[in-house]
Amino acid sequence: MSSSLLARFADRFDGPDLRVAPTSVLSASVLRVEVLAGLTVALALVPEAVAFAFVAGVAPLVGLYAAFIVGLITALIGGRPGMISGATGALAVVMVSLVAAYPPGVGVQYLFLTVILMGLIQIFVGIMRWGKFIRLVPHPVMLGFVNGLAIVIGKSQIDFFKTADGTWMPTGQLVMVLALVALTMVVIWGLPKLTHAIPAPLAGIGITATVVIAFGLPVPNVGDLASIAGGLPTFGLPDVPLNYDTLTVILPYAVILAAIGLIESLLTLNLVGEITGQRGGASQECIAQGAANTVTGFFGGMGGCAMIGQSMINVKSGGRTRISGVAAALFLLTFILVASPLIEVIPLAALVGVMFMVVIGTFAWNSIKILAIVPRIDAAVIILVTIVTVMTDLAIAVVVGVIVSALAYAWQNATRIHAKAHVTPEGAKVYAVQGPLFFGSATGFIEMFDPANDPSVVIVDFADSRVADQSALQAIEAVAAKYEAAGKSIQLRHLTRDCHKLLTRAGHLMVDSDDDPDYAVAANYSVRTGILGGH
């Protein structure tokens, strides 16, 4: 479990060991690999950006500009070299309701302002260094995330086998497209066994495109989606009223988009880090995503975040430095400005084949086998997050997975609390508490004591426990009140320094001797009741 499942499958499909840090020596061969990896990513970005623009209800160039600007800025200052960012479906499905709420041409202006506010929120999160909380995402949630995302990526490719009216292609054409997809996948799988001179996905796209053009096969190509020709993005303020009413409209969308974008970006950051052997960079990635989206909003882009599919293509193609990400963005801009006729003839089947190989390499196949081995709650979390990711979106799935994991952890710790009791030669009864005292174990803690039958002096020893929260304070006070009502005294012993501070701030303790955090001697505290009350 300690080794990256993604890295294992990346090895399987690409040959060389990918779990290495970016090289510090920029040789000609390294530069070639980085640039070719960027070209491969750029080719895969085109249909994705166009498709997500359609999902959001905006023009194709709005998605392409976002892919270029977000990809370029995050490649330059992001937290993880090798990551690819751009317009994503997870954000597009949220944007569409905002765009659709206004007449054509007006909704997209509100979207641009929303993307700017979204970026400012992400910058604030990065400055506050809240990105580190991604560490709270348990490994079962990560497995469910990659599995669900693999399924979502796979499902999104199905539309390329349909016609414009949503029906399946004619049988002959469908068989032809499936054969071309299979050809691309075979090239990607087999080429690394022969040579690593060029990225296998790029070779797969090139060979399939050559076959289609040479034989004049009637299959859909990139140009059938939409024209990608355009000019340079231009700076402009969103054409909407800058007032309180506008803020009330865009703020909920901006918060949701910022959260989804950061969650997807930080999870992708962790996954790419496992493959490339890199660590850290969460807060830097938040700032980079925020800066990219802020700029994108001013230049007519729909915003974006990290893309696990394209990031995996980049890493599997050999991209290890910022050069590959920058190259991908610049190639994409080149396609828009001057090379659109060439890119528009690339068959969609070649790009679908690349994405299917990404799906195979992304899905954590070993998670199916370990479902019968890991604790049942972990297996349930893996399945739950996978299903929620497919049925709703990534952000909801991760939040649900973390909540379920946290509740399971709290319950497991709640059942651990118990006490070993003994009577001292002086006649005092000592309860040696074991296990954490917090909201989940407070009731069990109260039930451990017997005020009616205990002697006049009771000592609660916390050497093997910890007072964690307000519920713990409430439980201590409740126990003390019962002994007080019975005319007996209770003392606390062996509090850690942080527990002592917590209790003292609440005004609970009458300190009889100095705190001893090293437990060299026993330090006893009597409890003042009636502070927190009964509610």
Side-chain angles (χ1 to χ4, degrees), residues 13 15 46 141 158 163 210 212 231 246 444 525:
F13 292 110
V46 171
V141 176
I158 301 301
T163 60
T210 300
V212 170
T246 299
Y525 310 97

Side-chain angles (χ1 to χ4, degrees), residues 282-338:
S283 297
Q284 182 178 344
E285 183 64 27
C286 293
I287 294 175
Q289 292 289 335
N293 283 306
T294 302
V295 173
T296 301
F298 284 114
F299 282 89
M302 61 183 282
C305 63
M307 310 178 74
I308 186 173
Q310 279 66 24
S311 296
M312 289 297 294
I313 291 174
N314 185 48
V315 171
K316 290 160 61 177
S317 298
R320 291 293 181 278
T321 71
R322 300 187 185 278
I323 295 175
S324 58
V326 172
L330 295 179
F331 275 124
L332 187 59
L333 180 62
T334 303
F335 298 161
I336 296 172
L337 297 179
V338 298

Side-chain angles (χ1 to χ4, degrees), residues 376-397:
R376 284 181 293 179
I377 185 61
D378 290 339
V381 167
I382 294 173
I383 297 173
L384 176 65
V385 174
T386 300
I387 293 174
V388 176
T389 299
V390 174
M391 300 300 295
T392 58
D393 61 60
L394 168 66
I396 294 177

Side-chain angles (χ1 to χ4, degrees), residues 11-30:
D11 288 346
R12 175 181 297 180
F13 292 110
D14 290 285
D17 186 8
L18 299 176
R19 287 161 288 182
V20 293
T23 178
S24 59
V25 180
L26 185 59
S27 63
S29 60
V30 170

Side-chain angles (χ1 to χ4, degrees), residues 98-438:
L98 173 62
V99 175
Y102 296 91
V106 178
V108 70
Q109 296 297 321
Y110 277 89
L111 175 61
F112 294 154
L113 188 59
T114 302
V115 170
I116 294 171
L117 181 56
M118 162 193 173
L120 295 176
I121 294 172
Q122 291 176 327
I123 292 174
F124 177 77
V125 171
I127 293 174
M128 297 300 293
R129 305 187 69 83
W130 290 345
K132 61 187 177 183
F133 290 112
I134 198 66
R135 302 171 186 171
L136 298 179
V137 178
H139 192 63
V141 176
M142 295 285 285
L143 290 178
F145 154 69
V146 296
N147 289 350
L149 202 56
I151 295 173
V152 170
I153 293 173
K155 284 180 59 181
S156 67
Q157 306 307 305
I158 301 301
D159 290 337
F160 294 118
F161 297 101
K162 297 180 180 180
T163 60
D165 58 2
T167 59
W168 292 101
M169 294 177 179
T171 303
Q173 188 182 40
L174 181 60
V175 171
M176 194 181 306
V177 170
L178 289 173
L180 293 172
V181 170
L183 171 63
T184 306
M185 297 175 68
V186 169
V187 173
I188 296 174
W189 172 78
L191 185 64
K193 302 179 184 301
L194 304 176
T195 180
H196 298 289
I198 60 174
L202 180 59
I205 294 172
I207 292 174
T208 302
T210 300
V211 170
V212 170
I213 295 172
F215 292 94
L217 301 180
V219 295
N221 54 37
V222 172
D224 293 330
L225 286 180
S227 174
I228 66 170
L232 287 171
T234 57
F235 178 86
L237 294 175
D239 187 16
V240 297
L242 300 179
N243 53 36
Y244 177 77
D245 291 337
T246 299
L247 180 63
T248 59
V249 171
I250 68 172
L251 181 59
Y253 286 100
V255 171
I256 294 172
L257 291 171
I260 294 174
L262 289 183
I263 290 174
E264 185 161 355
S265 298
L266 293 176
L267 290 178
T268 303
L269 179 122
N270 281 353
L271 294 172
V272 173
E274 288 182 359
I275 296 174
T276 60
Q278 304 168 49
R279 300 176 61 184
S283 297
Q284 182 178 344
E285 183 64 27
C286 293
I287 294 175
Q289 292 289 335
N293 283 306
T294 302
V295 173
T296 301
F298 284 114
F299 282 89
M302 61 183 282
C305 63
M307 310 178 74
I308 186 173
Q310 279 66 24
S311 296
M312 289 297 294
I313 291 174
N314 185 48
V315 171
K316 290 160 61 177
S317 298
R320 291 293 181 278
T321 71
R322 300 187 185 278
I323 295 175
S324 58
V326 172
L330 295 179
F331 275 124
L332 187 59
L333 180 62
T334 303
F335 298 161
I336 296 172
L337 297 179
V338 298
S340 58
L342 294 177
I343 302 305
E344 289 174 3
V345 300
I346 294 178
L348 291 174
L351 302 176
V352 171
V354 172
M355 296 309 295
F356 277 162
M357 291 303 287
V358 170
V359 169
I360 295 172
T362 299
F363 194 92
W365 300 98
N366 193 48
S367 63
I368 299 175
K369 181 175 65 177
I370 67 174
L371 288 177
I373 302 175
V374 299
R376 284 181 293 179
I377 185 61
D378 290 339
V381 167
I382 294 173
I383 297 173
L384 176 65
V385 174
T386 300
I387 293 174
V388 176
T389 299
V390 174
M391 300 300 295
T392 58
D393 61 60
L394 168 66
I396 294 177
V398 172
V399 171
V400 168
V402 170
I403 290 175
V404 172
S405 298
L407 291 176
Y409 176 79
W411 175 254
Q412 291 168 355
N413 279 275
T415 59
R416 287 173 51 196
I417 196 164
H418 63 283
K420 295 181 179 180
H422 67 275
V423 180
T424 67
E426 294 78 15
K429 187 172 183 179
V430 178
Y431 285 88
V433 182
Q434 297 182 331
L437 178 54
F438 67 112

Side-chain angles (χ1 to χ4, degrees), residues 437 442 445-446 449 462 467 470-485 490 492 503 506-509 527-535:
L437 178 54
F445 172 81
I446 295 173
F449 298 91
F462 286 95
V467 180
Q470 187 269 341
S471 295
L473 302 181
Q474 184 72 55
I476 293 173
E477 185 177 300
V479 171
K482 290 182 179 181
Y483 281 102
E484 186 179 81
I490 183 172
L492 311 182
L503 289 161
H508 262 291
L509 302 179
V527 181
R528 182 189 297 128
T529 60
I531 294 174
L532 297 178
H535 298 283

